[in-house]
Amino acid sequence: MKPPVLQAEGLRVTFPGKGRRQGVTAVDDVSLRIDRGETLGLVGESGSGKSTTGRAVLRLVPLETGRIHVDGEDVTRYRGAQLRRLRRQMQMVFQDPYSSLDPSAPVGSSIAEPLRVHEKMAKQARRDRVEELLDLVGLRPSHADRYPYEFSGGQRQRVAIARALALHPRLIVCDEAVSALDVSTQNQVINLLEDLRERFELSYLFIAHDLAVVRHIAHRVAVMYLGRIVESGPVERVYSQPAHPYTQALLSAIPVPDPKRRGAKRILLSGDLPDPSAPPPGCPFHTRCAYAMDVCKREMPAMTPVAGGGETACHLQTTGPTLAGRPLSEKEVPA
Ligand code: SF4
C-alpha cells in the first residue's frame, strides 16, 4: 500500500509575543493524513488556526514540535536544497490571487516563474508549458499576455491554479481559494479542481470557513477550534451525524437542502472565540458549549473514535452520554 501523500503528527506552532504581549500557540497537537487523490477539508471559524496549519505542513512556518512525512519520507528537518525540492511537490493557492500573481506583469510571466526557478527550460519550451497550463485550467493560450487586472476573480483564480500546477505537485493547499467568489463561480472553480484531482491524482488540503463548500469537494473533513482539531471523519458521517458540539453548531448554521431537515434548530454559539494567547483550561470549547460539565473545565478531552468513522475530542464520548453523532435532547443536557 502506498504511504499517504501527507502525514503530519503532533504539529505545534507558536508565534512569539512582543514586549508584554503573550506568545500565541496557533496550532496545537494537530495530526493530519491525506492519501493520494484525496481531499481533506479543514474547517473552523476565522482565527482557529486553519491557515497556519496549511503553512505548517508546507514548512512555511517553523514547527515547535511535530513531524511531517511526505510520501513516507520524513521532511521535518529538511533545509536548503531538500526543502526546495519538497516545495515543488507541495503548492498553495490563496484566497487572493494577487498574493501569487505580480499585478505589473502578464500572467504568463507569473505562471512561468516556478519553471524559471526550478526547471532549466528553453524560453520556447517554457512558453509552450505556460500555454498548456492555461488550457488545463480552461483559459486561452493568448491569455498569457494579459495582466491580472484584465481578468475576472474566477479567471484570476484559474491563473493561480495554473501556476500551482506548473511543477507537477502532489499536494495543493487551497487556503480559502474560492471564498471571495460568487456561488456560481465557486462551483466552476470547484469543478475544475475536481477534474484536475482526478486527472493528475492530486491531493488537496482544502481550507475553508464555509462548510457548505467543503461538503462538495472533500472526502474527509477536520474541524479546528482554537488551534486544535476537535473532530474529523468522512464527510458523509460528519455532516449527517456531527459528534462534537462545535461541529453541530457550525453545521446548524448552513442552509439544508433536505426538506426533512429544513427548519432544524440553529445552535447559536455564545460569545467569541477566546483569546488564543490565553486559552481556557480543560476543553478549549467549554466557555461556549451548552453541554459543558465540570470535567470539561479541568481536563482536556482526548480524541475518541466515533461510530461511523473518524474521531472527536469531547468528554461526552467517554464520561457523558455517548453522542455517537446524535445531538443530546434537552433532558440530557447536563445541569
Ligand atoms: Fe462541550 Fe465538554 Fe464536549 Fe468540550 S468536552 S465540547 S465542553 S461537552
Side-chain angles (χ1 to χ4, degrees):
M1 211 172 93
K2 284 182 184 167
V5 169
L6 176 78
Q7 176 114 40
E9 280 156 23
L11 302 186
R12 184 177 164 98
V13 177
T14 299
F15 297 117
K18 281 194 186 139
R20 291 187 176 183
R21 280 177 49 199
Q22 289 263 34
V24 173
T25 298
V27 173
D28 200 359
D29 199 19
V30 164
S31 297
L32 301 170
R33 193 198 80 237
I34 306 179
D35 289 321
R36 187 169 289 264
E38 186 184 43
T39 300
L40 175 70
L42 190 60
V43 301
E45 289 167 286
S46 170
S48 58
K50 310 183 297 291
S51 293
T52 308
T53 300
R55 284 169 170 74
V57 299
L58 295 184
R59 297 280 326 276
L60 295 173
V61 290
L63 289 179
E64 195 179 331
T65 58
R67 301 211 81 77
I68 299 172
H69 286 80
V70 173
D71 280 333
E73 201 174 318
D74 189 343
V75 303
T76 318
R77 305 267 168 254
Y78 273 16
R79 298 274 180 281
Q82 282 183 313
L83 199 52
R84 280 196 294 282
R85 183 166 56 84
L86 179 69
R87 296 257 158 83
R88 295 169 59 110
Q89 300 169 25
M90 309 207 295
Q91 295 287 319
M92 195 154 186
V93 175
F94 299 93
Q95 176 174 355
D96 174 13
Y98 276 118
S99 54
S100 54
L101 304 179
D102 180 351
S104 63
V107 298
S109 169
S110 292
I111 297 171
E113 199 202 333
L115 300 170
R116 273 194 297 272
V117 173
H118 292 277
E119 305 264 2
K120 286 190 175 62
M121 260 182 163
K123 202 172 168 191
Q124 185 56 49
R126 214 161 50 218
R127 173 74 189 198
D128 291 347
R129 175 74 178 139
V130 167
E131 293 187 357
E132 183 192 354
L133 288 162
L134 284 167
D135 183 53
L136 271 177
V137 298
L139 296 172
R140 289 198 298 276
S142 60
H143 281 132
D145 302 317
R146 294 197 189 168
Y147 289 81
Y149 71 84
E150 295 180 77
F151 293 91
S152 68
Q155 286 176 319
R156 269 199 296 274
Q157 208 51 297
R158 286 174 189 264
V159 172
I161 293 167
R163 188 181 193 275
L165 289 173
L167 298 170
H168 307 283
R170 293 188 198 143
L171 173 75
I172 299 183
V173 175
C174 302
D175 188 2
E176 302 281 6
V178 298
S179 302
L181 307 175
D182 62 66
V183 173
S184 103
T185 314
Q186 271 186 356
N187 290 338
Q188 290 165 15
V189 173
I190 283 177
N191 288 341
L192 170 66
L193 288 169
E194 273 295 89
D195 288 347
L196 295 169
R197 183 184 63 75
E198 282 177 16
R199 192 159 168 184
F200 300 113
E201 222 187 357
L202 284 167
S203 305
Y204 297 129
L205 176 60
F206 193 88
I207 298 170
H209 65 276
D210 185 342
L211 277 81
V213 170
V214 170
R215 181 186 214 150
H216 290 299
I217 192 165
H219 300 98
R220 287 184 301 115
V221 63
V223 182
M224 281 193 85
Y225 186 79
L226 221 56
R228 290 176 167 270
I229 290 179
V230 296
E231 178 162 10
S232 64
V235 161
E236 305 77 43
R237 199 280 296 160
V238 173
Y239 279 71
S240 61
Q241 295 179 297
H244 195 282
Y246 179 58
T247 317
Q248 292 176 2
L250 290 182
L251 287 174
S252 78
I254 60 174
V256 187
D258 180 353
K260 281 185 261 163
R261 290 193 57 212
R262 215 173 274 157
K265 202 169 148 223
R266 177 162 180 194
I267 304 167
L268 291 173
L269 286 173
S270 59
D272 296 323
L273 203 64
D275 180 354
S277 66
C283 170
F285 188 55
H286 86 250
T287 55
R288 302 168 82 190
C289 180
Y291 308 128
M293 305 169 283
D294 279 346
V295 64
C296 306
K297 296 169 193 163
R298 295 190 313 268
E299 289 174 27
M300 177 77 76
M303 276 290 201
T304 315
V306 177
E311 48 187 6
T312 190
C314 175
H315 287 303
L316 290 168
Q317 288 291 121
T318 46
T319 58
T322 303
L323 275 175
R326 175 178 62 82
L328 295 180
S329 70
E330 274 179 29
K331 283 186 202 152
E332 291 171 315
V333 177

